[in-house]
Amino acid sequence: MKIDEKYYRTIWPITGAASPENDAIFSVGIIDQTLLPHRFEVKELARLDEMILAIKTMQVRGAPLIGAAAAYGMALAVQTDASDTHIEKSAQALLQSRPTAVNLRWAVNRMQIALAALPLKARNQKAWEEARLICDEDVQINQAIGGHGLALIQDAAAKGSKSVFNILTHCNAGWLATVDWGTALAPIYAAHDAGMNVHVWVDETRPRNQGASLTAWELVKHGVPHTIISDNAGGHLMQHGQVDMIIVGADRVTSTGDVCNKIGTYLKALAAFDNNIPFYVAVPSPTIDWTIQDGLSDIEIEMRDADEVRFMTGLAKDGAIQTVRVTPIHSHALNPAFDVTPARLVTGIITERGVTAPNKLKQLFN
Ligand code: MRU
């Protein structure tokens, strides 16, 4: 996507000087998402531990981008030591950085498989190639999701008689959460670019405000009309006919179509069901966990630091980014980062292969 006329992906390799062993030493560029929307800053990561920290602190975040970051993390690890022991140790360290998005495990496994059969001296080059391929594929997948989602929006808009088509989204499943384009936002960008009159209701997405800070920032940069709402406003808007469709992303989807996504998604699905509003989930295939069936019992929900609930970060009047406490000092707080929406509440899953009912996911990928 373009930021002020310059094209960016969310993650990219940076070529450095050549060494006697390698054609070139690489580091990895990322956009530090913890500073958005107030500051756009790029960071350069040179070591695996820096990448792990970036994933944990959510400088990079969103399931597909976490996968891409893990792939580049493996490449950084191999660059220093390509032995089997080091590859295994690095894979285990990455797997522990964030537990819910299955793209992380998918990318680490794919890197391990790509490297396993190669002689040590061929591994470094292969690792960078494979990570780059994972990123290129992510972009293609999301473009395809955008195309299939656009057809859904066009169909739904044609059936109604409103001049503006209102889509509600939760969290950030835009280009910042992927390598480019996004999942839930890809159909919205496609509809806007096709000249449709779309307007987006952006859930603020407490506690970390990915909607208010990241989705809104993306939509401003792309010129898509939108309004930020508090997380609790969605049900009211749905009851009053102001939401035509909901599209969200996912961190892990079971083979039976249960959807794990940012905390609060389930409540939106319940309200959508009660108000007969189509609830779609945009899902690239690396987000599907074919090994599990029951989202409620089989997915580990990340528990994050309760301080993310107790404190909020924003821009002070003097232009400094500040973090302030919003709760009493002695109150307990709890911070589950994701929830599970059962397949029965999901109207359809938008994948790179097309749109399907959640219980038909397997047939689509067979
Ligand atoms: O905790 P985050 O910000 O990594 O959570 C992100 C989400 O929940 C997104 O909706 C999901 O990863 C889909 S991203 C295309």
Side-chain angles (χ1 to χ4, degrees):
M1 283 284 177
K2 277 189 177 167
I3 304 297
D4 306 330
E5 294 312 306
K6 184 168 173 199
Y7 176 76
Y8 281 93
R9 282 184 173 188
T10 52
I11 193 161
W12 61 93
I14 301 171
T15 319
S19 78
E21 301 83 36
N22 300 325
D23 293 340
I25 305 283
F26 284 95
S27 56
V28 180
I30 60 158
I31 297 165
D32 183 349
Q33 300 194 19
T34 60
L35 301 175
L36 288 172
H38 310 300
R39 250 189 257 149
F40 181 85
E41 267 181 33
V42 160
K43 274 193 86 145
E44 191 174 337
L45 311 175
R47 297 192 319 266
L48 171 66
D49 61 327
E50 292 176 344
M51 184 62 84
I52 289 175
L53 192 66
I55 295 173
K56 282 184 177 165
T57 59
M58 294 173 60
Q59 288 175 326
V60 286
R61 43 145 303 279
L65 178 56
I66 292 171
Y72 274 121
M74 289 295 286
L76 288 169
V78 169
Q79 184 164 254
T80 54
D81 179 352
S83 68
D84 287 345
T85 336
H86 188 63
I87 289 178
E88 180 54 29
K89 208 173 125 203
S90 308
Q92 290 310 322
L94 275 162
L95 290 173
Q96 277 156 33
S97 57
R98 286 194 78 187
T100 303
V102 75
N103 304 58
L104 176 67
R105 186 184 78 199
W106 170 85
V108 168
N109 287 349
R110 179 163 155 176
M111 293 295 286
Q112 284 182 293
I113 291 165
L115 299 171
L118 296 178
L120 290 201
K121 63 177 180 350
R123 287 182 175 178
N124 185 38
Q125 190 183 342
K126 177 67 180 172
W128 290 98
E129 279 168 9
E130 195 66 19
R132 199 186 289 249
L133 198 61
I134 285 174
C135 290
D136 289 347
E137 285 174 15
D138 181 68
V139 178
Q140 284 162 13
I141 286 173
N142 299 333
Q143 277 178 321
I145 286 175
H148 296 305
L150 168 63
L152 272 183
I153 296 172
Q154 283 171 329
D155 268 11
K159 282 180 194 140
S161 56
K162 290 192 200 152
S163 58
V164 179
F165 193 78
N166 286 298
I167 303 173
L168 184 143
T169 193
H170 190 69
C171 193
N172 172 260
W175 73 272
L176 287 170
T178 64
V179 177
D180 204 352
W181 287 107
T183 58
L185 291 197
I188 294 172
Y189 288 132
H192 174 81
D193 293 350
M196 283 188 75
N197 223 347
V198 282
H199 165 266
V200 187
W201 296 113
V202 179
D203 280 354
E204 61 176 346
T205 321
R206 276 283 284 150
R208 288 188 66 107
N209 289 322
Q210 289 96 326
S213 55
L214 304 177
T215 298
W217 182 79
E218 279 193 31
L219 295 175
V220 167
K221 291 292 173 194
H222 205 87
V224 182
H226 63 280
T227 307
I228 300 166
I229 51 174
S230 71
D231 287 328
N232 300 323
H236 167 77
L237 293 175
M238 289 184 221
Q239 286 175 319
H240 289 271
Q242 293 186 64
V243 180
D244 299 306
M245 182 181 281
I246 296 172
I247 312 180
V248 296
D251 288 81
R252 193 184 293 225
V253 172
T254 65
S255 60
T256 52
D258 288 346
V259 170
C260 180
N261 190 48
K262 181 52 58 195
I263 192 80
T265 302
Y266 170 54
L267 290 178
K268 292 299 136 70
L270 280 175
F273 193 76
D274 194 44
N275 289 282
N276 210 16
I277 292 164
F279 183 91
Y280 286 102
V281 188
V283 180
S285 53
T287 303
I288 305 168
D289 187 344
W290 297 108
T291 67
I292 55 171
Q293 299 195 337
D294 182 348
L296 273 182
S297 58
D298 296 343
I299 300 178
E300 181 181 347
I301 301 294
E302 179 180 14
M303 297 300 293
R304 291 189 62 87
D305 195 323
D307 274 359
E308 290 181 351
V309 176
R310 294 191 188 104
F311 291 85
M312 285 181 81
T313 299
L315 200 65
K317 281 188 177 164
D318 64 0
I321 294 181
Q322 277 184 8
T323 299
V324 294
R325 178 184 279 277
V326 291
T327 62
I329 288 186
H330 298 295
S331 292
H332 287 291
L334 187 74
N335 188 13
F338 301 96
D339 62 23
V340 172
T341 299
R344 68 185 158 78
L345 297 177
V346 177
T347 310
I349 297 192
I350 312 169
T351 75
E352 68 267 30
R353 295 217 182 166
V355 184
T356 180
N359 60 1
K360 301 265 166 58
L361 206 49
K362 267 192 203 150
Q363 281 100 310
L364 190 66
F365 281 90
N366 262 339

